[in-house]
Structure formats: structure tokens, C-alpha cells
Amino acid sequence: MTSLTDDATTQRLEKEVTAVKDDIAALTDQITDALNTFAGAAKKQARRGYKEARSNMDSTLDDMSARGGAMLEAAHDAAGSIEETLEDVITHRPLATVGLALGLGFLIGAIWRR
């Protein structure tokens, strides 16, 4: 009779161990699926962040290029305006211009000696 009880207990324990193994395998599959889903979501989010950062960088570079071009054009216009003004002054007052140039040369020479 003890042998019968021991066999029944052994069979019941084997079924329970098998059930626990199956539960562990199912949990492992669920954890693997959850990790794969998380990794996929993180990958998508990283791609979105990269694309957004690249778009922002491209936009900023375009803006800086446009601003640089505008500044260069403004500097070119200012240089042209200064050149025209100097030309007008030299044309209308040549003696005053020569006197100013001599005075500046003398002043620079005096400062240079010290």
C-alpha cells in the first residue's frame, strides 16, 4: 500500500514539476516578447530623435548661411558706399584731402617714434 501511495505522490509531483517548467517557459517567452517590444520602441524613438535633431541642424545651418550671406552683402554695400564717399570728397576737395593725408602721416610718424 505504501508503494501505491509513493507512486501516486511521485506522479503528482512530476506533473507539478512539469507544470512549473511550462509556467517558467511561458514567463520566459513573455519576458522576451516584452524586451523585444521595448527594444523596438526605443529604437524607433532614437530614430525619431536623430531625424528631428538632423532636421533642426539643417534648418539652423540654412538660417546661418542666409544670415552670413546677408551680412556679407551688407559689408560689401558699406564698403562701396565708403569708397564712393571718399571719391566724392577727394574730387570736390583735393587740397583738403592732401592736407589731411599729410597731417595723418605726420601724426602716425610722431607716434611711431615714441
Side-chain angles (χ1 to χ4, degrees):
M1 179 113 174
T2 349
S3 171
L4 211 47
T5 310
D6 287 342
D7 286 343
T9 304
T10 303
Q11 287 177 357
R12 186 174 48 86
L13 287 175
E14 285 177 357
K15 285 181 184 179
E16 288 180 8
V17 167
T18 302
V20 168
K21 284 182 182 180
D22 291 342
D23 289 345
I24 289 173
L27 284 173
T28 301
D29 289 342
Q30 288 177 354
I31 289 171
T32 301
D33 289 344
L35 287 175
N36 287 337
T37 301
F38 176 74
K43 188 176 180 180
K44 285 180 185 177
Q45 187 174 4
R47 281 185 183 161
R48 267 188 248 126
Y50 171 75
K51 286 179 182 177
E52 185 177 324
R54 185 171 181 162
S55 173
N56 288 343
M57 184 183 70
D58 289 343
S59 173
T60 302
L61 287 176
D62 290 343
D63 186 42
M64 289 175 63
S65 177
R67 287 183 184 184
M71 290 174 65
L72 183 61
E73 187 176 328
H76 183 59
D77 290 345
S81 175
I82 290 172
E83 181 182 355
E84 288 174 6
T85 303
L86 284 175
E87 229 175 79
D88 288 344
V89 168
I90 291 170
T91 304
H92 294 304
R93 297 184 183 152
L95 292 178
T97 305
V98 171
L100 181 63
L102 287 173
L104 284 174
F106 180 75
L107 183 63
I108 291 172
I111 292 173
W112 192 268
R113 282 189 186 176
R114 290 183 183 194

